[in-house]
Amino acid sequence: MSAADKFAAELREEFRLAVPVGFARFHQAIHLRALKSCIDLSAVDTGRLRNNWQSAVGDPGMQEFPEGSSRESSQLADAASVLEGMDPYGVSYVSNPLEYASYLEDGTPKMEPQPMVRPTVAAIESWAANLGKGHAGAGSPR
């Protein structure tokens, strides 16, 4: 094997190992931005809605946290921990098990929507569209 062939093989191996790690970090960053945005955009009355945003890998999870339990300070840290060992090409979820979260998101015949998810998705889509244009900071999701 020539030196050039050996170098090419080593380079292929480095990319094979580095790409999934980089992709996993990118996935985690987007997930954490989405979670933070949903928390920040949540209407606050008792704090229960904000308190119940959660992260999971592979399965949405959907554990409901009771009123009065404060998780706001640990939600992002908990999410980072959940995402740490995920498959680079796996699926992660940002979810909220409270039934009234969908009423706030979509509105009702008697209540205007107070969306959290739609603006978050729009911000991430805009940010991702700008990545290829060299404007990753512009329109950066929350």
Side-chain angles (χ1 to χ4, degrees), residues 123-137:
I124 289 173
E125 286 175 343
S126 173
W127 175 74
N130 285 319
L131 280 176
K133 298 175 186 172
H135 307 300

Side-chain angles (χ1 to χ4, degrees), residues 16-127:
R16 185 185 71 74
L17 297 174
V19 168
V21 171
F23 187 77
R25 286 187 187 136
F26 184 67
H27 183 142
Q28 291 166 0
I30 291 172
H31 181 101
L32 292 172
R33 286 174 183 227
L35 176 62
K36 181 172 180 354
S37 177
C38 287
I39 292 168
D40 291 346
L41 292 172
S42 293
V44 179
D45 181 18
T46 64
R48 189 166 170 238
L49 181 68
R50 280 189 174 188
N51 197 42
N52 273 279
W53 284 105
Q54 52 201 277
S55 299
V57 172
D59 182 326
M62 305 303 275
Q63 175 185 358
E64 188 172 325
F65 295 94
E67 191 169 339
S69 64
S70 179
R71 298 180 54 244
E72 268 188 69
S73 61
S74 67
Q75 282 168 296
L76 294 175
D78 291 348
S81 177
V82 164
L83 297 169
E84 188 59 38
M86 74 176 287
D87 177 324
Y89 307 106
V91 176
S92 66
Y93 296 88
V94 172
S95 58
N96 195 312
L98 300 181
E99 184 178 353
Y100 72 88
S102 64
Y103 302 147
L104 288 168
E105 181 72 27
D106 301 326
T108 68
K110 296 180 179 183
M111 183 181 75
E112 289 293 315
Q114 299 176 51
M116 304 145 287
V117 176
R118 286 193 312 271
T120 296
V121 170
I124 289 173
E125 286 175 343
S126 173
W127 175 74

